[in-house]
Amino acid sequence: MDLDVHPVGERVEVEGVGGEGEPGSVGLVAVVAASVSDLRRAVAVAGELPRAAHLLVAVEYVPAHLGPLAPVPPGMDEWNDLYELRVRRVGRRGWVCEAFFPGGGPVAEMLSCLVHGARGRRRGPGTGFFGGLHGRGAGAWLPGELSARGAPASGPVEMDRVTPVSDVVLRLDEGQGLPFWEDVEVPALDRYTAEAAFLPPGDLRAAALHVHGPDPVGRIAPVDERLVNPSGFRTRVKGPVGVLAEEEGRVLLSDDRKVRVEVPRDGTVTENDLARLRDLRGVRVDWTGRGGPTMVRAVASLAAGGVPLVGGPVPVWAAGLGEELSELISSMGEEHLADALRREEHSVRLRRAALRAHGVRARWRALAAEAGLAVPPEPRVSVVLCTRRPGMVGFALAQIARQRHVRLEVVLALHGFPASLPEVASAVAEFGETGIPLVVHEADGGTVFGAVLNEAVDRVSGTLVAKWDDDDWYGPEHLADLLLARTYSGAEVVGAGHSYTYLQEIDLTVWRPARSEAISPAIAGGTILTDRGVLEETGGFRPRPRAVDSQFLLAAVRSGGCVYRTHGLGYVLRRSGEGHTWDTDLGYFLRHHTEQWTGWRPSALLEGAPAPLGDRPDQYTEHTGGHR
């Protein structure tokens, strides 16, 4: 049976199983998928399958940046009846996993553990509520979520003692209408399946189609950001520019020689499709076809995957992309993709817009708000800033004050000097006008740097901790980019790559486009973002005067964690003559670079630099220039 076709909410009945005096499980269930994305989409539907004594799961192709098809056990005693587990590779990149439960095991739980293991130990931030599903293709709306439960077309939602198993239900209409929703406690939202959009133009059902909900972005299924994301992005490529177009009712992505990807009618783009496109300089979107949700969802997925997209003005029927993404696609010409830096800048802007508008987590938070649910607040980021230099406090606070798309607080550790110094007091007072919470800690000057960082971490109240250096430049979406990377990477620690360096002594900016969007412990120490729980598991920062960043990253990896490096275009490392815990000479930066410019010339994503807060010492104002 095709799990994409079987409606979520309808149990699969097997003759001779589950009845009175009959066995409670079948002998074998085999699930075959082309990609891990397909497997995640099947989790919600697999909840309708009977338990199985033998479960076989095969995935045809798993790209190199993902792990093997090995499950992460769900808990301490939930798999006590597991008898045997086999994992083997098939062909070049295929995997097969078999599990044997003599008493019968739940299929959906096993699939969830498998996709969790392939993508990383951590599941990423949740939505704060449980979603229910009904209809064909519903698995695409909440992929990989074991909490997603099927619901009858008219309700009510199943109860777990006194609590509904879902907080909101999404029903998919195939163009034939849906019955009245009878559950007065759990709200339901209706959307149309992708197939409904392909009804013949004269069909009365087609004429009656309309969007349930005010926001056109919510018309299509979301993008599974845990797999469809920038991981594997290549900075320097020599391939052609592909074309995404509709041809004879099919949506194809082709280059000048062959079809790279044929997009299915539901618009799904998988991680395997993205792997086939990484050598392209970009993709030009041809809007001249009939259009519809297939094209819209495919474009959103490519943008979320970091594929540089260009094209003319976006037509009205593609309003579901959202205004920001639509404007970005039409803002760049194909000729600009030949410049590696402009190409990556464009890719970053596209992925930001697509992930924020079309990611699963973002879409369900929007659906919950539409249904009238109280959406939990986003996690708070506690920025830890430790400095020995009073004159840099205003500079660093100005960088933090302009962060957007993030809830934050600041813990300012003054290492060896009081907050009463005029330049410090004025900067703190001006920062207070932003309304961002600020805690000031006066640390003893004789305490080593790593210990001061731990004292600062002890004073945070947020769930996430971001390390901040006092003399480096940060773009206004630096923290927001790290939060996105944390959501799609599944990593315990995320940070930016070290691409830009300003050599203050010789007034020179150097750029080295290191590999980004990959698992790597080589991140800039001033960009570390992690959970408070990870800091607790690793014991915090080592009480050493230097190299505390690299030692923390090493401890995170040794404890079984993962470090993910996102792009470095929104961060510039400053190298002056002294005062750095990373002790290396200027020759290192001059030897390891791709391009260099006289003066301070960062990426356009840095969006210039703000003037320092409070008193503004002349020696620092010269480094707050504008765009490159």
Side-chain angles (χ1 to χ4, degrees), residues 336-383:
H336 298 136
L337 299 180
D339 183 297
L341 180 55
R342 295 196 66 177
R343 174 180 175 271
E344 186 175 6
E345 290 172 343
H346 185 53
S347 168
V348 171
R349 292 187 179 104
L350 288 168
R351 69 185 73 157
R352 286 171 176 171
L355 291 168
R356 282 201 288 258
H358 295 280
V360 173
R361 184 172 182 273
R363 182 61 47 78
W364 276 87
R365 287 174 66 85
L367 291 173
E370 182 183 332
L373 298 183
V375 179
E378 293 286 358
R380 186 184 297 276
V381 179
S382 297
V383 178

Side-chain angles (χ1 to χ4, degrees), residues 159-180:
M159 300 292 290
D160 181 7
R161 297 183 182 178
V162 297
T163 306
V165 297
S166 304
D167 298 306
V168 58
V169 173
L170 181 79
R171 303 191 299 174
L172 292 185
D173 185 352
E174 297 182 49
Q176 300 172 342
L178 289 167
F180 176 77

